[in-house]
Amino acid sequence: QQQVKQSPQSLIVQKGGISIINCAYENTAFDYFPWYQQFPGKGPALLIAIRPDVSEKKEGRFTISFNKSAKQFSLHIMDSQPGDSATYFCAASTLGGSEKLVFGKGMKLTVNP
Amino acid sequence: DTAVSQTPKYLVTQMGNDKSIKCEQNLGHDTMYWYKQDSKKFLKIMFSYNNKELIINETVPNRFSPKSPDKAHLNLHINSLELGDSAVYFCASKLRDGETQYFGPGTRLLVL
């Protein structure tokens, strides 16, 4: 049973374009939703995260949109750059509970120059 | 100044062998994790320790035994390695009351 579903599996955009990654979750006990960025041969690194008490969070070119009623959240990357080419994972956890991160399957982003 | 470090970075071994992976964090965190990333890049929790106490064991075969000698270290010992154990193993850590998990660079295990 996959608790966090992520789409698309891969995405190719041109430099300057917008990249959008979508995730849906099932467990309503989740209360922390981070996005991780992973470059080849490296460990995942936190990009941006959101709690369910807000509907949007923006940090630079990265924005998370959160829809609690639909149990969905998405990452928007504005003005995509070739350096953004990486694999992106959405995740969810229950803070104060087991706190394990449940990951989506990841999306490979390629930004062409 | 590596925050979460793992050794070795690469591990190539034969089926049936026993091997260990070490993890150390210098962030002052008290909760540490092991995740497994398979060939399709799917990341899944294996274990979690808080202050040297096991708090998550995610139905991992008992050939895998984590050990936490202190809050800054979490090691993973694997007995009788199988082909299906080939994967990248990531250690992560966080403060108990914190949100962010910080991941190490990974150990790439290949079982032949």
Side-chain angles (χ1 to χ4, degrees), chain A residues 2-69:
Chain A
Q2 189 185 349
Q3 293 192 59
V4 178
K5 295 182 180 179
Q6 183 172 348
S7 63
Q9 286 186 314
S10 62
L11 183 64
I12 300 173
V13 300
Q14 292 299 119
K15 179 181 175 182
I18 301 173
S19 305
I20 301 173
I21 315 168
N22 300 301
C23 281
Y25 64 97
E26 299 171 1
N27 187 348
T28 54
F30 289 146
D31 59 2
Y32 174 66
F33 302 89
W35 285 89
Y36 278 81
Q37 181 188 55
Q38 185 180 29
F39 293 105
K42 304 292 185 185
L46 179 70
L47 192 60
I48 187 172
I50 198 167
R51 300 294 298 274
D53 51 346
V54 297
S55 60
E56 186 175 282
K57 183 174 180 179
K58 183 175 181 180
E59 289 182 1
R61 296 184 293 110
F62 302 92
T63 300
I64 300 179
S65 297
F66 186 81
N67 185 330
K68 188 174 181 178
S69 60

Side-chain angles (χ1 to χ4, degrees), chain B:
Chain B
D1 291 354
T2 306
V4 182
S5 60
Q6 294 179 229
T7 53
K9 188 170 182 179
Y10 299 97
L11 190 51
V12 182
T13 188
Q14 298 289 327
M15 219 167 37
N17 284 350
D18 303 338
K19 290 293 178 185
S20 291
I21 306 172
K22 294 186 177 182
C23 177
E24 177 181 3
Q25 53 90 8
N26 62 5
L27 296 166
H29 292 167
D30 47 17
T31 304
M32 297 183 73
Y33 305 83
W34 279 111
Y35 288 86
K36 179 180 179 180
Q37 186 170 48
D38 63 21
S39 58
K40 295 184 179 179
K41 291 200 172 294
F42 183 53
L43 275 158
K44 188 173 179 185
I45 183 76
M46 297 175 69
F47 299 103
S48 171
Y49 268 76
N50 179 263
N51 266 329
K52 305 192 296 177
E53 181 184 346
L54 179 67
I55 55 175
I56 297 175
N57 180 341
E58 199 73 3
T59 61
V60 176
N62 57 17
R63 297 182 296 104
F64 291 80
S65 52
K67 280 190 172 55
S68 181
D70 55 59
K71 329 191 275 189
H73 296 83
L74 180 61
N75 304 323
L76 184 64
H77 187 76
I78 315 170
N79 289 325
S80 304
L81 278 156
E82 300 178 356
L83 294 176
D85 298 332
S86 295
V88 183
Y89 293 84
F90 288 101
C91 177
S93 73
K94 81 173 195 64
L95 277 171
R96 184 188 179 105
D97 296 329
E99 294 180 344
T100 305
Q101 290 188 27
Y102 295 85
F103 283 75
T107 294
R108 285 140 189 87
L109 171 65
L110 178 60
V111 183
L112 302 174

Side-chain angles (χ1 to χ4, degrees), chain A residues 40-101:
Chain A
K42 304 292 185 185
L46 179 70
L47 192 60
I48 187 172
I50 198 167
R51 300 294 298 274
D53 51 346
V54 297
S55 60
E56 186 175 282
K57 183 174 180 179
K58 183 175 181 180
E59 289 182 1
R61 296 184 293 110
F62 302 92
T63 300
I64 300 179
S65 297
F66 186 81
N67 185 330
K68 188 174 181 178
S69 60
K71 294 189 286 185
Q72 295 175 346
F73 58 111
S74 60
L75 177 69
H76 291 61
I77 306 174
M78 310 300 288
D79 187 26
S80 298
Q81 299 296 312
D84 296 331
S85 297
T87 300
Y88 292 80
F89 294 91
C90 62
S93 76
T94 307
L95 295 179
S98 69
E99 304 201 2
K100 64 180 181 182
L101 284 170

